[in-house]
């Protein structure tokens, strides 16, 4: 049983998932290794992820390893409906369509929970939190969960520190083979792509302000510079501010950056980063976009309160706010993750590493059923390096190996 919008788009979805799959060869390598033993046979995997062609490759792989899979969206406006149609067609329970209301979004998460999964996979933590708040009766039966993103890990660590986390969580986000490639290169490219698809404007010569210089911010900064923008970074963390400076970016408080920026992108995981006092300083025509998980980084409340007039959809994914002095500010994608709203999210090559970690973490949880405490675990080094090996193999890249003499040399302290 599924709830989707366009079942008739299944063939288009199949082609999209096949396209992604062809560019995610490591997943095929994992299947080659594990297919025969069906390690997920009889296991129910349920969760919420962005329903994209890359997620399609992930959930089909889980199914091929024996799992029964139910999938909801992790954001109400990022679902690729053709992918949802195809996944439903091949026997995955899908509850997702693009443009869900908040009520529908929560109902679909409830459907996933009603499926009574053994393993919960999540992007942002909404399903894990829903389970802990609304369905405590099910918590004991859950073997474990995975979490894809920084925001979700932050929430789950808080749940754990409050002594309330009920099952082990594998922090996929923290694997090196996830964070370095996905957060930096994936978000770097796809955020720029989202802004370009939404605006169709030139980046060369623009002052491009990035709030936050974590992995995501760094990736966007490098790509924006590569497109010829003058990049300004704002940060609250001293080390990151220093790193941005030494990499050659201008670093200044947002009060200063607000006056000169043409394009603003938030990538902090925080709330109310761009707010009233900043909107008041911006140039006519400034463009605002968010790359963080939740739509709280650009204060829409302040923007609505300041604007005398709002014109929705002046272009697809672009809303215009006209302020009292006739300045116009443009909010992209309702302040939601611009890379998934206006573009298709991270490229398949990047999601290959992230989702290899997901698959191997799910297998790890099943293999260690009963042996793990209810806390947030970093991905074991062995899994991280196995993923790197699968990716190298998938890309047919050979690496060198240490000689015996070199191995002995490494062990010497004298
Ligand atoms: N998060 C960012 N990009 C994604 C993608 N292409 N698929 C699923 N989740 C994502």
């Amino acid at each position: 049983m599924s709830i989707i919008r366009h079942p008739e788009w299944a063939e288009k979805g199949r082609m999209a998932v096949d396209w992604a799959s062809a560019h995610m060869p490591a997943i095929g390598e994992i299947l080659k290794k594990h297919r025969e033993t069906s390690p997920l046979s009889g296991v129910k995997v349920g969760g919420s992820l962005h329903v994209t062609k890359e997620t399609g490759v992930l959930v089909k792989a889980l199914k091929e390893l024996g799992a029964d899979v139910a999938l909801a969206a992790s954001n109400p406006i990022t679902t690729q409906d053709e992918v949802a149609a195809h996944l439903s067609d091949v026997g995955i329970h899908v509850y997702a369509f693009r443009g869900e209301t908040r009520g529908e979004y929560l109902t679909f998460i409830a459907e996933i929970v009603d499926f009574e999964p053994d393993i919960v996979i999540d992007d942002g933590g909404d399903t894990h939190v829903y389970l802990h708040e609304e369905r405590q009766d099910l918590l004991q039966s859950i073997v474990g969960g995975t979490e894809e993103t920084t925001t979700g890990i932050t929430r789950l660590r808080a749940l754990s520190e409050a002594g309330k986390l009920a099952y082990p969580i594998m922090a996929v986000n923290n694997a090196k083979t996830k964070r370095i490639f996905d957060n930096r290169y994936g978000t770097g490219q796809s955020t720029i792509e989202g802004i370009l698809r939404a605006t169709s404007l030139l980046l060369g010569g623009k002052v491009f302000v990035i709030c936050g210089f974590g992995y995501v911010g760094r990736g966007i900064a490098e790509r924006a510079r590569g497109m010829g923008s003058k990049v300004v970074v704002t940060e609250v963390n001293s080390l990151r501010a220093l790193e941005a400076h030494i990499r050659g970016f201008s670093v200044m408080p947002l009060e200063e950056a607000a006056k000169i920026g043409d394009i603003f992108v938030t990538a902090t995981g925080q709330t109310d980063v761009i707010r009233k006092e900043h909107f008041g300083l911006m140039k006519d025509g400034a463009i605002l976009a968010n790359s963080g998980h939740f739509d709280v980084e650009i204060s829409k409340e302040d923007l609505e309160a300041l604007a005398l007039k709002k014109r929705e959809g002046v272009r697809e994914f672009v809303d215009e706010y006209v302020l009292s002095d006739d300045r116009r500010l443009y909010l992209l994608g309702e302040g939601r993750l611009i890379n998934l709203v206006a573009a298709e999210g991270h490229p398949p090559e990047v999601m290959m590493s992230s989702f290899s970690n997901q698959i191997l973490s799910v297998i790890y949880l099943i293999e260690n059923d009963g042996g793990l405490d209810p806390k947030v675990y970093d991905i074991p080094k062995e899994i991280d390096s196995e993923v790197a090996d699968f990716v190298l193999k998938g890309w047919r890249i050979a690496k060198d190996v240490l000689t015996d003499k070199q191995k002995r040399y490494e062990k010497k302290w004298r």
Side-chain angles (χ1 to χ4, degrees):
M1 144 85 183
S2 288
I3 302 180
I4 55 171
R5 259 290 140 82
H6 289 288
E8 72 281 8
W9 290 356
E11 178 55 18
K12 190 176 167 208
R14 185 184 63 74
M15 289 193 283
V17 174
D18 283 352
W19 175 264
S21 180
H23 295 88
M24 298 168 79
I27 307 287
E29 295 296 332
I30 295 178
L31 288 175
K32 245 188 248 167
K33 177 172 172 191
H34 290 285
R35 192 183 278 119
E36 248 178 47
T37 56
S38 292
L40 303 181
S41 176
V43 175
K44 284 172 145 187
V45 179
S48 56
L49 297 168
H50 300 289
V51 182
T52 63
K53 59 191 186 306
E54 293 76 21
T55 298
V57 176
L58 165 68
V59 296
K60 285 177 77 175
L62 293 172
K63 188 167 184 329
E64 216 174 314
L65 295 175
D68 191 13
V69 184
L71 178 67
S74 58
N75 183 299
I77 61 172
T78 58
T79 294
Q80 294 165 8
D81 284 319
E82 66 282 13
V83 171
H86 167 59
L87 295 179
S88 172
D89 219 29
V90 296
I92 286 157
H93 316 277
V94 186
Y95 304 91
F97 50 80
R98 198 175 182 92
E100 296 162 9
T101 62
R102 176 148 181 82
E104 284 161 342
Y105 175 74
L106 291 173
T107 307
F108 295 164
I109 286 182
E111 291 279 359
I112 298 303
V113 170
D114 287 343
F115 173 68
E116 300 192 6
D118 304 297
I119 302 279
V120 179
I121 52 178
D122 207 354
D123 183 330
D126 281 349
T127 306
H128 294 307
V129 169
Y130 182 89
L131 262 161
H132 282 79
E133 283 196 320
E134 308 290 335
R135 291 301 304 272
Q136 289 161 2
D137 57 307
L138 293 178
L139 290 175
Q140 283 320 306
S141 64
I142 289 172
V143 174
T146 65
E147 176 47 54
E148 171 77 10
T149 202
T150 317
T151 294
I153 299 294
T154 307
R155 295 173 84 189
L156 292 166
R157 282 207 198 286
L159 192 66
S160 177
E161 271 156 31
K164 295 194 165 158
L165 183 63
Y167 49 79
I169 296 284
M170 304 302 290
V172 168
N173 180 69
N174 296 356
K176 286 191 177 148
T177 45
K178 194 274 181 183
R179 197 156 42 177
I180 293 175
F181 303 102
D182 176 315
N183 300 27
R184 193 188 298 169
Y185 301 107
T187 320
Q189 174 168 314
S190 61
T191 298
I192 299 292
E193 189 183 355
I195 293 169
L196 292 180
R197 285 202 202 181
T199 64
S200 177
L201 294 175
L202 180 72
L203 292 187
K206 296 271 192 316
V207 177
F208 195 115
V209 179
I210 297 163
C211 306
F213 201 68
Y215 276 89
V216 168
R218 279 175 230 176
I220 302 170
E222 296 289 0
R223 294 302 185 249
R225 175 154 67 185
M227 300 288 283
S229 290
K230 294 172 226 162
V231 177
V232 173
V233 169
T234 71
E235 243 306 338
V236 292
N237 176 293
S238 313
L239 259 179
R240 288 176 177 181
L242 264 182
E243 192 183 349
H245 168 73
I246 287 175
R247 285 189 185 206
F249 299 110
S250 300
V251 180
M252 62 183 78
L254 188 50
E255 281 72 22
E256 294 305 315
K259 297 175 200 158
I260 57 172
D262 298 300
I263 299 173
F264 295 82
V265 180
T266 48
T268 68
Q270 260 294 354
T271 189
D272 283 352
V273 176
I274 306 186
R275 48 188 188 267
K276 192 168 49 201
E277 57 261 43
H278 306 120
F279 298 136
L281 299 167
M282 286 178 182
K283 297 195 289 191
D284 179 33
I287 288 168
L288 308 161
N290 168 49
S291 199
H293 185 79
F294 285 118
D295 58 339
V296 295
E297 303 206 17
I298 299 168
S299 172
K300 286 190 268 189
E301 295 74 32
D302 286 359
L303 208 42
E304 299 277 349
L306 281 178
L308 290 187
K309 202 168 85 186
K310 176 179 175 188
R311 282 200 301 157
E312 287 180 12
V314 290
R315 287 175 54 82
E316 199 180 5
F317 311 121
V318 184
D319 293 336
E320 179 187 73
Y321 292 80
V322 185
L323 308 187
S324 57
D325 55 3
D326 287 340
R327 275 179 305 125
R328 292 154 299 177
L329 302 183
Y330 294 98
L331 180 67
L332 307 190
E334 301 171 20
R336 297 182 189 272
L337 299 139
I338 193 60
N339 62 335
L340 278 141
V341 172
E344 292 170 63
H346 301 345
E349 294 93 329
V350 165
M351 295 315 290
M352 160 168 70
S353 294
S354 313
F355 286 165
S356 294
N357 279 292
Q358 285 281 2
I359 299 172
L360 296 183
S361 294
V362 171
I363 296 175
Y364 180 85
L365 284 166
I366 291 298
E367 283 175 348
N368 290 280
D369 185 5
L372 298 171
D373 295 327
K375 58 182 197 183
V376 179
Y377 286 88
D378 278 337
I379 301 301
K381 279 207 183 78
E382 305 75 59
I383 292 189
D384 216 348
S385 86
E386 203 186 1
V387 169
D389 285 338
F390 278 129
V391 173
L392 285 171
K393 200 165 173 194
W395 279 341
R396 304 199 192 301
I397 298 171
K399 61 177 184 178
D400 276 335
V401 288
L402 291 176
T403 63
D404 288 341
K405 186 175 175 191
Q406 286 168 332
K407 283 184 198 157
R408 284 196 300 278
Y409 183 76
E410 246 180 12
K411 298 247 164 4
K412 280 188 187 164
W413 56 272
R414 222 174 223 124

